[in-house]
Amino acid sequence: MARGLIEDRLGERARILGGERAILVGLDLEGDRETLDELVALSETAGVAVKGRVIQRRRQPDPSYFIGEGKLARLREQAELAPADTIILNHALSPAQSRNLEEQLGRKVIDRPQLIMSIFAQHARTKEAKLQVEMAQLEYLLPRLRGWGRALTGLGGGIGTRGPGETQMEQERRRIKRRIQRLRKDLEKAALERQVRGRRRRRKALPLVTLIGYTNSGKSTLLNGLSGAEAHVEDKLFATLDPLIRRAPLAGNREVLLVDTVGFIKRMPPQLVPAFLSTLEAVKEADLLLNVLDISDEKVFEHLKTVNETLADVFDDGPRPLMINVLNKADRLDDAEGRERLERALHEMRDPIAVSALQGQGLDGLLERIAGEVGAVRERLRVAIPYARASLIDELHRWGEVECEEYRAEGVMIEVVLAEEFVQRLERHAAENGIKLERLPL
Ligand code: GDP
Ligand code: MG
């Protein structure tokens, strides 16, 4: 029986599979004004039918049960009445809290990180994303097994002996650790393959325009609108995990590549950050970022802050691609509050542009802006680097698109397409280090 319980946790009980009926639970810690709206959207995205919401005001979570014991009894009744087979908490639980709640409620208990990881697992499409999500789930599970093992040990031996539960648990731990090692190796391989693909794409030298922004802000819809293609649009958070790439025609017979990304979200479980960042390769390599903001959402300024903080992490204070703030869903601003929000955004943000991705307003203007930005900012240079300054070669590969690299007796000759800001830096560096630069036609 003990073995069955552990196996069950590994499989179904630690994640959402879709089809669950759930009651959602959140704590309203002081000043937080919890509504659970976002948790409802996340749950529905994962395929859960939401049967009720419970919010408790508390200064601090209960150390054993997270919610108070009185609330716990009411929650048990509510779950029986609903009926609900799953309880989803809008917070991260400690292993002991998860275990205690499951024992008390007799139902599957899923915390917020597990819910988000389940959504990622359901939507992962590339091999790399799948590996990363599985690794995140197993790493989250590992410390939790210890708690279950201890609970099970109580059934078996006395002091100083190992109960059957603990032995099973040790086996499971070893199995999971081996699996994690294996995943880590596979991930290294997958990352290499991605880099090779990236190189191949860059040789074509189409400017890369990457759509970023909060979940549900309309990135996939905008990608369709700009490219005329059928990308995957759903009214679900996280419908896009892997980046999607489309070509978009610009005036003057030019083209850009548009890349869709998974949305940003607040309170991302730390285990998931690698999976998330791998979709951000497209952000790092971008010539231009379109920051898609839902201007009809009153939280739009908070969302902008999340995006900016994430970008600061991704670029580590280094130089960033240019960014256009796109105020989407402008068609939905029919009240005074909405129009005020738009005014404020137009006033506070750098060069924003209002559009409706759904209805098409503003998209021609946006395409013109894109053409203007990615057309004007790039230059092609020939750089002659003496071997003593070879570290510059790596930098050029990092910041530009190296199109040609020739090793000669006197040094390395590189042809590279660079953004204007790097050209200026390179010019300064070159003057100080005796490196010859020559401008070439684009
Ligand atoms: P993503 O998560 O950022 O990719 O967002 P989606 O493109 O999937 O859009 C989320 C929801 O917002 C969908 O229901 C879209 O139809 C809707 N939507 C997107 N753009 C607009 C817009 O300009 N106006 C309105 N009214 N709805 C939009
Ligand atoms: Mg999308």
Side-chain angles (χ1 to χ4, degrees), residues 94 123 128 139-140 142 183 191 194 210 218-219 237 279 290 294 302 384 391 408 410 433:
S94 74
H123 287 286
E128 193 175 9
E139 282 181 340
Y140 198 75
L142 203 53
L183 286 170
R194 170 167 44 74
T210 301
K219 295 177 295 299
L237 304 177
T279 75
L290 296 187
D294 177 355
E302 267 173 56
S391 63
R408 298 180 184 169
E410 67 277 15
N433 292 282

Side-chain angles (χ1 to χ4, degrees), residues 23 54 56 65 67-81 101 104-105 107:
I23 293 184
V54 174
Q56 186 177 30
Y65 297 108
I67 55 174
E69 285 188 47
K71 208 62 166 184
L72 187 62
R74 293 245 307 282
L75 180 58
R76 197 185 310 133
E77 282 169 24
Q78 205 179 329
E80 252 146 51
L81 276 176
L101 278 176
Q104 287 296 317
L105 294 166
R107 286 171 168 77

Side-chain angles (χ1 to χ4, degrees), residues 168-297:
Q168 302 289 0
M169 185 266 301
E170 276 307 326
Q171 281 175 13
E172 286 302 318
R173 279 175 67 78
R174 276 198 296 276
R175 201 173 66 83
I176 289 180
K177 281 185 172 163
R178 274 200 302 275
R179 176 80 188 137
I180 288 177
Q181 271 169 8
R182 172 84 234 197
L183 286 170
R184 203 163 274 144
K185 284 213 183 88
D186 290 350
L187 267 170
E188 278 170 24
K189 236 178 77 192
L192 212 73
E193 284 165 14
R194 170 167 44 74
Q195 279 180 7
V196 171
R197 278 200 309 274
R199 287 264 150 101
R200 229 178 272 146
R201 179 190 56 69
R202 266 186 297 188
R203 215 166 283 147
K204 287 199 219 151
L206 283 183
L208 191 66
V209 179
T210 301
L211 281 74
I212 57 170
Y214 210 74
T215 44
N216 238 35
S217 59
K219 295 177 295 299
S220 299
T221 310
L222 186 62
L223 184 88
N224 285 348
L226 292 176
S227 65
E230 286 286 306
H232 185 64
V233 184
E234 267 181 75
D235 197 359
K236 285 183 172 182
L237 304 177
F238 295 114
T240 328
L241 177 60
D242 303 316
L244 288 167
I245 303 193
R246 295 276 182 278
R247 301 166 91 96
L250 299 178
N253 227 359
R254 284 187 303 156
E255 266 189 327
V256 289
L257 288 179
L258 289 174
V259 183
D260 197 4
T261 61
V262 67
F264 294 129
I265 184 161
K266 286 179 289 181
R267 292 198 283 146
M268 179 81 74
Q271 291 84 355
L272 265 186
V273 170
F276 180 62
L277 287 179
S278 89
T279 75
L280 295 186
E281 275 310 301
V283 176
K284 290 188 188 167
E285 291 185 11
D287 295 289
L288 177 67
L289 298 175
L290 296 187
N291 181 25
V292 184
L293 295 156
D294 177 355
I295 191 64
S296 75
D297 187 332

Side-chain angles (χ1 to χ4, degrees), residues 379-384 396 401 403-404 413-419 422-424 426-427 436-442:
E379 290 197 59
R380 175 176 280 123
L381 297 169
R382 183 180 291 138
V383 193
L396 290 180
E401 296 170 23
E403 298 191 325
C404 168
M413 192 67 89
I414 286 184
E415 280 182 26
V416 63
V417 176
L418 276 179
F422 297 120
V423 173
Q424 287 164 10
L426 181 63
E427 278 178 327
K436 269 184 248 150
L437 287 186
E438 189 187 339
R439 281 198 161 71
L440 301 173
L442 255 182

